[in-house]
Amino acid sequence: MQIYMVGGAVRDRLMGNAVHDRDWVVVGTTPEAMTRLGYVAVGRDFPVFLHPETHEEYALARTERKSGRGYRGFVVLTSPDVTLEEDLSRRDLTVNAMAAPVDWDGSPHAVTDPYHGKRDLHDKVLRHVTEAFREDPVRILRIARFAARFADFTVAPETIGLMGEMVTDGEVDHLVPERVWQEIARGLMERRPSRMFDVLRACGALRVLLPELDRLWGVPQRAEFHPEVDTGVHAMMVLDMAAQLDAPLNVRFACLCHDFGKGTTPADVLPRHHDHESRSVNLLEQVCERWRVPNDARELAVVVAREHGNIHRSGDLNASAMLRLFERCDAIRKPERFEHALLACECDARGRLGFANRPYPQRTRLRSALQSVLDVATAPVAAAAARRGLKGEAIGLAIADARRDALRDWLCAT
């Protein structure tokens, strides 16, 4: 029995990066032998075991045979006769198809590298290992995600071509929605998330997975507001600004979706986009339904798509209009979500050509304005209204008046 460290742990150590998770492959043994040694079986689709002390995952060397569509359409074959090279051949990228011995000291010379992963690491290339890549459509998403993580790597032309063939063959159509969201969400949190969508677009997968985004490229906007002009380019600039500002996932998803409606603007009114906000909401709701996006991300995306223009123009709002904005955003009840909406709007404003380093005073201003509303003690207002004989909705109106008065005072003070 031989044990090897494999995959991302080897890649990251060779790159000089910190290794947080280690994966191991075991060659020349059986599930029964692993159990006798105290390893705990946990694999559902193929033999994976937890180490009795470290609880790290150890997988038996295996090969796979395509048996159907999608990423579940495989028959997994394990045997003591499966070699390390055969196991590595089923992996996605050459830079992930390397192995090192248990006592590895970090030396590149000790690495088993049958598919030239070290060369591709040096050349900063993401390249598929073998033609077996085409059997699992999730690998398209993984390559795109790795492109977002390793922003200075390129995807090999032959790999883009193979991914395009998989799209044409309909493999992407069989992806499970939850898995699509899982991979997209992970890619959104990488260093340059725009690269994920660049790769998906280059191989044709974006028009299948997210046509709402794909159709934005080539759609013009008014140059006085958007010097970059192209709506797809703007969407990617906004997304990368979200990464630059270390925004959480729900904010990055809202940034991704905020302008979907511009892709459905009639050609005869371009480059104006009247009422694109409501169209964006409808489209992103469809995406959330399709991918089963978590509610927190969905709800924030709706607020941002519907209200980002009003937030940008909030410097012109009087007290009544500002209170209505807060109410539409449910900001009084959910101030943290409103803060996330403001961050998404800052990303939108700064995600434009020449605007990356511009201030966004709307965020600070609206945060302060909302605090003046939150500081209103509503219980005494409600009690005083009740003493005047008011009930139900009338008490709510009295509280709204008090909040509006607080906003007027805040506006006068600022």
Side-chain angles (χ1 to χ4, degrees), residues 71 138 145 177-187 291:
Y71 82 101
V138 171
R145 176 165 60 81
E178 292 88 347
R179 191 61 190 272
V180 174
W181 168 248
Q182 180 185 45
E183 293 294 332
I184 293 292
R186 292 176 71 181
W291 286 354

Side-chain angles (χ1 to χ4, degrees), residues 127-204:
R127 190 191 316 275
H128 66 282
V129 178
T130 68
E131 282 290 309
F133 179 97
R134 70 167 64 245
E135 297 175 351
D136 184 357
V138 171
R139 290 174 171 172
I140 293 176
L141 292 168
R142 280 175 53 82
I143 289 250
R145 176 165 60 81
F146 278 118
R149 178 186 301 180
F150 303 117
D152 55 346
F153 279 54
T154 60
V155 181
E158 62 269 29
T159 301
I160 289 288
L162 180 57
M163 292 161 66
E165 292 174 12
M166 293 166 67
V167 174
T168 301
D169 291 343
E171 281 288 336
V172 174
D173 301 325
H174 296 273
L175 283 168
V176 177
E178 292 88 347
R179 191 61 190 272
V180 174
W181 168 248
Q182 180 185 45
E183 293 294 332
I184 293 292
R186 292 176 71 181
L188 286 172
M189 294 306 296
E190 297 291 2
R191 185 157 57 103
R192 191 169 322 155
S194 66
R195 294 217 54 226
M196 173 170 61
F197 299 102
D198 290 341
V199 170
L200 292 176
R201 185 166 172 252
C203 71

